[in-house]
Amino acid sequence: CTSVQEFPNEKKTDENIAVELMTDAFQDRFDTAILISADSDLEAPVLAVKRLFPEKRVVVAFPPERFSADLRKAASAYLHIG
């Protein structure tokens, strides 16, 4: 009998969002980006956009009952979706 080890299916959503946010910033596709997430893994790309493109803003919109203090601090502004 062969044992099959199962691994969680990682969709890499946060990595894809980070890549698209940086790509859009480099291609000057926005002045203000609105990021709908509470995933603190997105703190680094938000900070990178602000560091590399000081004229650009990243506004974080937190989904209902979700929040990240780190992402809030990184964002140019934030709001909660009701």
Side-chain angles (χ1 to χ4, degrees):
C1 179
T2 305
S3 173
V4 177
Q5 188 174 14
E6 292 188 29
F7 295 97
N9 184 9
E10 173 63 47
K11 293 183 176 76
K12 299 185 180 184
T13 303
D14 52 343
E15 290 95 338
N16 291 333
I17 292 170
V19 168
E20 292 302 317
L21 181 64
M22 294 302 298
T23 300
D24 287 349
F26 273 103
Q27 293 179 350
D28 200 22
R29 291 186 175 166
F30 69 86
D31 295 320
T32 301
I34 300 174
L35 175 62
I36 301 172
S37 180
D39 189 339
S40 62
D41 289 345
L42 294 170
E43 175 189 12
V46 169
L47 289 172
V49 167
K50 289 175 57 183
R51 183 180 71 250
L52 295 169
F53 306 96
E55 72 284 359
K56 295 193 180 300
R57 294 173 32 97
V58 180
V59 176
V60 175
F62 293 110
E65 300 181 25
R66 303 275 321 273
F67 180 75
S68 165
D70 293 332
L71 197 51
R72 181 192 72 186
K73 284 194 288 186
S76 305
Y78 70 95
L79 58 102
H80 295 273
I81 299 172

